[in-house]
Amino acid sequence: MGATGRMGRAIAQIIHENPDCEIVGAVDVDGSPAIGADIGELAGLGRIGVSITSNSDAVELFTKAQGIIDFTAPAASLAYAELAAQARIVHVIGTTGLSKDDEDAIFAASRHARVVKSGNMSLGVNLLAALVTKAAQALGPEFDIEILEMHHRHKVDAPSGTALLLGAAAAEGRSIALENHAVRVRDGHTGPRRTSDIGFATLRGGDVVGDHTVIFSGAGERIELTHRASDRRLFAHGAIQAALWANSQPPGLYSMTDVLGL
């Protein structure tokens, strides 16, 4: 899904390279000039005989596919979740910017589909999240937690899904609810920092694929855990790994920590 985007093209390349996978369909938004084009040619693979379909004509593909890879937008992902549930197939969701209502709808769809949803599909980031949980638990409230993320100028949501994933990991380590302690904006006279705050700072510019740093700042020392992505193909690799893993699982909502055994 979202076949003509940067992630869509990367996913097509990785699927084509994997002997355990086959592209049976590619979807783009209605009205896209790429409708009817061969996804292989668009992704630099040469012609593979799979034409790009519009969203409104995509329903038939859900009867042919064992799973879909979805790095699109919240509204599109919700529509795909309903179709994947009806077809009882795998739905890998890398879409970010989902609301609480969106999350609830995807959870409902997971009663029939095998859904793997993550703000980041890379092994490194999910290992980082596990380390952040451990560090937050071990260091305790004496250490303030701040999360800094930077992405390319075209990213439309903030904080990133990965930053929120890391914030949730830190909150888990502290045994608190992230939604009650997240601080996403600081401006003007904000007063002193609360001990339990988990702060987020967002940077945008250039062609940065994704940089994330979790800072634990205490009295006289600071610990920083960082992940830097230099090639978005690593997210595509993770998404394909998730799809293959989920194909043998019962219906449910899973994360990359489940896929990776973390």
Side-chain angles (χ1 to χ4, degrees):
M1 322 312 284
T4 64
R6 289 184 294 270
M7 273 304 303
R9 295 194 300 270
I11 290 165
Q13 292 166 1
I14 300 302
I15 294 174
H16 189 69
E17 294 168 5
N18 192 318
D20 296 322
C21 302
E22 179 185 0
I23 302 175
V24 297
V27 178
D28 201 19
V29 295
D30 292 350
S32 168
I35 301 299
D38 189 283
I39 182 59
E41 292 181 334
L42 191 68
L45 305 170
R47 190 170 184 82
I48 64 171
V50 177
S51 297
I52 297 173
T53 303
S54 67
N55 260 328
S56 56
D57 295 325
V59 175
E60 184 181 348
L61 293 178
F62 285 77
T63 66
K64 297 166 56 178
Q66 290 174 281
I68 62 169
I69 313 294
D70 171 16
F71 286 75
T72 57
S77 290
L78 290 186
Y80 299 148
E82 184 175 345
L83 291 172
Q86 291 172 7
R88 299 179 184 269
I89 61 174
V90 171
H91 186 184
V92 176
I93 305 175
T95 301
T96 57
L98 296 163
S99 69
K100 176 65 166 56
D101 288 344
D102 296 339
E103 302 275 4
D104 290 343
I106 288 170
F107 178 75
S110 72
R111 291 197 294 265
H112 303 292
R114 286 150 286 166
V115 180
V116 180
K117 187 178 76 63
S118 178
N120 193 296
M121 297 286 175
S122 85
L123 169 61
V125 162
N126 284 279
L127 179 58
L128 172 61
L131 295 172
V132 166
T133 298
K134 285 287 189 182
Q137 184 179 35
L139 294 173
E142 293 79 15
F143 281 75
D144 298 323
I145 302 174
E146 295 286 317
I147 299 170
L148 174 65
E149 60 103 338
M150 182 170 185
H151 283 82
H152 52 86
R153 61 165 63 96
H154 301 293
K155 187 167 179 61
V156 298
D157 59 305
S160 69
T162 302
L164 294 172
L165 181 152
L166 295 171
E172 180 184 348
R174 290 280 166 88
S175 298
I176 59 177
L178 179 61
E179 58 267 27
N180 296 332
H181 297 277
V183 177
R184 301 193 183 191
V185 177
R186 292 189 178 104
D187 185 34
H189 191 276
T190 61
R193 187 188 197 282
R194 295 183 305 170
T195 300
S196 59
D197 284 349
I198 298 175
F200 293 84
T202 298
L203 306 177
R204 293 287 179 266
D207 61 355
V208 178
V209 174
D211 293 351
H212 296 85
T213 297
V214 182
I215 303 166
F216 295 88
S217 187
E221 60 182 336
R222 186 170 70 247
I223 300 165
E224 299 183 4
L225 301 174
T226 297
H227 179 273
R228 302 188 192 280
S230 57
D231 185 348
R232 60 178 40 86
R233 282 168 59 93
L234 73 93
F235 307 127
H237 275 292
I240 303 310
Q241 183 177 353
L244 291 170
W245 177 87
N247 195 45
S248 61
Q249 304 302 314
L253 180 61
Y254 302 98
S255 69
M256 283 301 289
T257 56
D258 299 311
V259 176
L260 299 170
L262 297 175

